[in-house]
């Protein structure tokens, strides 16, 4: 299940209340658009916080979305 956030941006539903990546989905193109909801709002509204830490490991509780990230 996906929770709509804005336009074609979604949060994968699952356990836990924070830390899930925001996905940008347009037809068959699926990419992460933010490390979490806070990072996404900074990205979407031109307040980026910098480069992504290479140790970042997307956390989703739905196996299907984990495979795409």
């Amino acid at each position: 299940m996906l929770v709509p956030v804005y336009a074609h941006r979604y949060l994968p539903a699952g356990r836990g209340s924070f830390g899930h990546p925001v996905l940008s989905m347009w037809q068959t193109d699926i990419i992460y658009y933010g490390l979490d909801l806070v990072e996404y709002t900074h990205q979407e509204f031109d307040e980026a916080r910098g480069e992504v830490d290479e140790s970042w490991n997307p956390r989703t509780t739905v196996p299907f979305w984990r495979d795409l990230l």
Side-chain angles (χ1 to χ4, degrees):
M1 175 192 262
L2 294 171
V3 179
V5 176
Y6 177 76
H8 51 89
R9 313 285 195 251
Y10 300 90
L11 279 171
R15 291 182 175 197
S17 58
F18 63 91
H20 298 286
V22 175
L23 302 177
S24 174
M25 301 178 70
W26 185 256
Q27 297 179 0
T28 60
D29 186 30
I30 302 172
I31 60 172
Y32 78 89
Y33 210 76
L35 303 176
D36 54 23
L37 192 55
V38 172
E39 165 66 58
Y40 160 73
T41 57
H42 287 286
Q43 291 288 350
E44 187 72 48
F45 302 106
D46 296 324
E47 296 179 22
R49 294 194 291 182
E51 295 296 318
V52 175
D53 183 358
E54 290 192 26
S55 66
W56 177 70
N57 184 13
R59 184 179 73 87
T60 61
T61 57
V62 180
F64 175 80
W65 296 118
R66 188 177 305 126
D67 293 343
L68 293 172
L69 297 175

